Amino acid sequence: LRSLRNGNSGAPFTLHLCSRRRSHIVDVRHRMRIAPFATFESDFPDDSVEEKGDIVVPGGENIMRAIYACLSTQGYRVSNFDQHSHYGWSFNLRGREGSFWLLVQHPGPWLLTVHDSRMIWSRVLRGQADFAALIDQCRVCLSSIPQLSSVLWMSRREYEAEFHNKKPQNEDA
C-alpha cells in the first residue's frame, strides 16, 4: 500500500495498490448511495399454489418472468430462474462486470432484492459503479412493466427501518 489520498473530506479518495509487477489505482466512491431493495405493488394475478392450506409454490413467478425478460435483453447472461426456498423466485445474471443475484418475494409489499455476488476483490478494485449500473437497469425494467406500481428503491438500512421496525445503527434516538 503506497498511499491513501483524500483532497477534502467529502470527495472520493484514491487508493494506490502496488505490487512488484504492477501498480493499480482505484478511485473509491465512498459517497455513492446504493439502493438494492425495491418494494412495489403488483397487478399480476396471484400465481401461488396451495395444497391443504399450505403454500407449496410461492407467488411472484410472473413478476420474476417479466423482470427476467427485461434484463435478458440488456446484454446480461441470465441463468434460469427458479423457486427460491419456500418464499420467492430468483436468478443469477452475469455481465462483463461480474455476477449478481436477484430475488422476488412477497413479505408485503412485493420486494425485489439485488445482490452483488462479485468476489470481494472485484468489489474493492472496481468499486460500486457496476452494481449501481445494474440497479439503474433494474429501475428501468420495473418502471417499464405496466403491472407494477408504487416502486420505491431503498438501501438495506432504509428497508429494515421501514418494514422491520428496526432502528438503523449509528443513529441517535
Side-chain angles (χ1 to χ4, degrees):
L1 180 64
R2 184 184 301 162
S3 67
L4 180 63
R5 295 181 300 174
N6 186 358
N8 60 32
S9 61
F13 57 88
T14 303
L15 176 66
H16 295 270
L17 300 173
C18 301
S19 69
R20 291 184 180 168
R21 295 183 182 169
R22 301 181 146 170
S23 175
H24 298 281
I25 297 176
V26 180
D27 187 18
V28 180
R29 305 282 180 188
H30 66 282
R31 293 279 187 195
M32 184 177 284
R33 181 179 180 275
I34 301 294
F37 290 76
T39 60
F40 55 91
E41 299 298 326
S42 171
D43 290 333
F44 280 108
D46 181 10
D47 57 355
S48 60
V49 176
E50 287 188 33
E51 286 181 7
K52 299 178 183 175
D54 293 323
I55 296 177
V56 293
V57 177
E61 181 178 5
N62 45 21
I63 297 169
M64 185 56 92
R65 189 177 305 279
I67 296 168
Y68 179 91
C70 182
L71 288 174
S72 64
T73 65
Q74 301 299 315
Y76 290 100
R77 291 187 316 257
V78 292
S79 69
N80 291 332
F81 67 89
D82 294 309
Q83 181 176 326
H84 181 79
S85 188
H86 62 280
Y87 58 87
W89 295 89
S90 66
F91 69 90
N92 295 298
L93 67 146
R94 184 164 180 79
R96 60 184 162 82
E97 59 278 333
S99 298
F100 305 96
W101 178 74
L102 282 78
L103 170 69
V104 166
Q105 59 182 314
H106 190 263
W110 285 100
L111 173 65
L112 171 67
T113 305
V114 183
H115 178 74
D116 190 344
S117 301
R118 297 176 300 162
M119 294 182 63
I120 188 71
W121 282 111
S122 292
R123 287 185 253 162
V124 170
L125 294 175
R126 293 184 184 165
Q128 294 293 310
D130 296 331
F131 188 40
L134 169 63
I135 292 170
D136 286 342
Q137 288 184 326
C138 289
R139 283 183 182 175
V140 170
C141 284
L142 290 186
S143 66
S144 73
I145 301 169
Q147 295 88 348
L148 304 183
S149 61
S150 303
V151 179
L152 178 63
W153 286 89
M154 58 192 81
S155 68
R156 173 185 293 276
R157 176 189 226 170
E158 293 165 332
Y159 176 78
E160 288 176 351
E162 178 73 22
F163 293 99
H164 294 292
N165 296 322
K166 292 182 182 176
K167 180 182 172 189
Q169 294 178 354
N170 301 326
E171 286 193 3
D172 297 325

